[in-house]
Amino acid sequence: MIKRIGKRTLALENRPYLLGHAAAVGKKEGEGPLGERFDYVAKNDRMGQRSWELAESELQKTAIRLALRKATLPERSLDLILAGDLLNQCIGSFLASMHVNVPYLGQYGACSTMAQGLALGGCLVESGAADRLLAAASSHFCSAERQYRFPLAYGGQRTPTAQWTATAAGAAVLGSEPVPNGAEPCDVRVTHVLFGRMVEMGVTDAANMGAAMAPAAADTLSALLEDLGAQPRDFDCIVTGDLGHIGADLLLTLLRGDSIDLSPVYSDCGSLIFGDEQDAHAGGSGCGCSAAVLCGPLLRDMHRGKIHRLVFAGTGAMMSPTSVQQGQPIAGICHAVVLERSEA
């Protein structure tokens, strides 16, 4: 049963189980500080495909297969797939699940897509609309650059505020009951979700997405803490994805203005995925960035007991190439999912 707490937070009383999860990343991401903690690192970002879009689709497909394998579940056991990416009409996700023969719901929340899929998936499982489903998201540096910025051969210079679209994908299987023979313990559960609202503060620079998204993250996280009557220290980790270095600093500043100090437990997926020496400027971004960091390192730490209570707050910059060229402002959005490790 779903119960509303406060103004916007939904409590999932039966707490859907996380049955399996996996992260697949590209070569650059595999060379970063989290590289050894992903399930799959591609040797070549082309993934043996003839286009970057097909390569992204293959990367998402790989994450989906690995998540199902770790849950010891076949594709036919799923009631739904919720997946999305940055490409026009979410073509990468469509191609990844086209032949699975499972009902499909395309998701678009920009970099917040994985959080959106998990939040919606948790509600669907909790309500009984699905017994088992899979949420996935992906992005690819080369496909995103071609759509949103310039062809790679153009050699355009990146501004200091620009983020690097991660070549990455993440997938997670949710279920109403644990799978006894799963390769991973079913000790992580979805307890609360909060769907974000769009916040627009006049930012029009597509190379400064952190500034566009930070106000939305502040709005969502302050609402979640207020609804739960909680302090940041009540959680082991509060992670956004993907504000990058600039957006993360701005978020901390905005929340301090509301007397909320997030810094002792705060991290951002865009700041974690690349090292300083990798020249990613303001950090990582893209649907696959937070999806891979969550479904790889963060959930592994939860299984190992290093993290017991986690807030995953996916942030997205709601724009298109056309809207940016027309000078339209970029609205930010942030969806939050609370994950808890049970000690049973």
Side-chain angles (χ1 to χ4, degrees):
M1 181 177 178
I2 299 174
K3 179 181 178 181
R4 184 175 294 275
I5 297 178
K7 293 181 179 179
R8 297 168 57 190
T9 301
L10 304 177
L12 310 186
E13 296 188 333
N14 292 323
R15 305 191 304 161
Y17 292 86
L18 196 133
L19 306 179
H21 56 88
V25 301
K27 187 174 183 293
K28 182 182 180 77
E29 292 71 18
E31 293 170 348
L34 303 178
E36 294 182 355
R37 304 175 69 189
F38 297 119
D39 297 275
Y40 174 87
V41 177
K43 296 180 180 179
N44 187 305
D45 286 355
R46 181 74 78 168
M47 297 286 290
Q49 304 299 311
R50 68 177 186 271
S51 72
W52 299 122
E53 289 76 16
L54 287 173
E56 178 176 342
S57 176
E58 186 64 26
L59 197 65
Q60 186 181 127
K61 193 182 300 183
T62 299
I64 290 173
R65 287 171 177 166
L66 290 173
L68 286 168
R69 183 184 303 170
K70 290 163 75 174
T72 62
L73 292 171
E75 293 173 341
R76 64 179 180 275
S77 69
L78 298 174
D79 297 312
L80 283 170
I81 292 178
L82 294 83
D85 53 74
L86 292 174
L87 301 180
N88 290 334
Q89 288 77 50
C90 292
I91 189 66
S93 302
F94 161 68
L95 292 173
S97 296
M98 181 168 54
H99 299 297
V100 175
N101 199 29
V102 171
Y104 169 85
L105 290 174
Q107 304 291 298
Y108 186 80
C111 297
S112 72
T113 297
M114 188 66 193
Q116 176 179 311
L118 279 177
L120 180 58
C123 290
L124 289 169
V125 172
E126 179 74 14
S127 70
D131 185 39
R132 293 172 183 157
L133 57 80
L134 180 141
S138 65
S139 56
H140 195 295
F141 175 77
C142 298
S143 63
E145 287 295 305
R146 177 155 61 191
Q147 177 170 299
Y148 282 97
R149 299 179 183 93
F150 304 104
L152 297 180
Y154 183 83
Q157 296 298 305
R158 303 169 64 81
T159 65
T161 59
Q163 294 172 242
W164 188 281
T165 304
T167 299
V173 183
L174 297 181
S176 59
E177 298 290 340
V179 177
N181 60 340
E184 291 177 328
C186 296
D187 54 6
V188 178
R189 304 174 76 172
V190 181
T191 62
H192 302 81
V193 305
L194 189 151
F195 293 104
R197 54 191 179 189
M198 287 190 282
V199 179
E200 185 269 299
M201 301 295 287
V203 176
T204 59
D205 183 2
N208 191 6
M209 295 186 296
M213 296 185 289
D219 177 74
T220 290
L221 289 173
S222 60
L224 179 70
L225 293 171
E226 181 180 355
D227 286 349
L228 296 179
Q231 297 296 320
R233 289 184 180 272
D234 292 330
F235 302 92
D236 299 299
C237 182
I238 297 176
V239 60
T240 51
D242 311 292
L243 295 179
H245 308 316
I246 294 172
D249 288 343
L250 181 56
L251 170 63
L252 294 176
T253 301
L254 290 170
L255 288 177
R256 286 193 190 104
D258 291 332
S259 301
I260 299 173
D261 184 11
L262 213 63
S263 56
V265 295
Y266 176 63
S267 297
D268 178 75
C269 297
S271 296
L272 294 172
I273 196 167
F274 295 121
D276 294 337
E277 73 286 352
Q278 290 185 284
D279 191 26
H281 286 45
S285 67
C287 300
C289 181
S290 62
V293 174
L294 173 70
C295 295
L298 292 176
L299 287 175
R300 286 190 180 196
D301 283 349
M302 292 197 77
H303 290 313
R304 293 169 181 169
K306 295 181 179 180
I307 299 174
H308 292 266
R309 202 176 186 209
L310 167 74
V311 177
F312 176 58
T315 54
M318 307 305 285
M319 63 178 183
S320 76
T322 301
S323 69
V324 170
Q325 291 168 8
Q326 293 175 344
Q328 297 297 322
I330 301 169
I333 197 163
C334 177
H335 306 296
V337 180
V338 180
L339 301 170
E340 295 188 17
R341 181 178 184 268
S342 59
E343 302 296 335

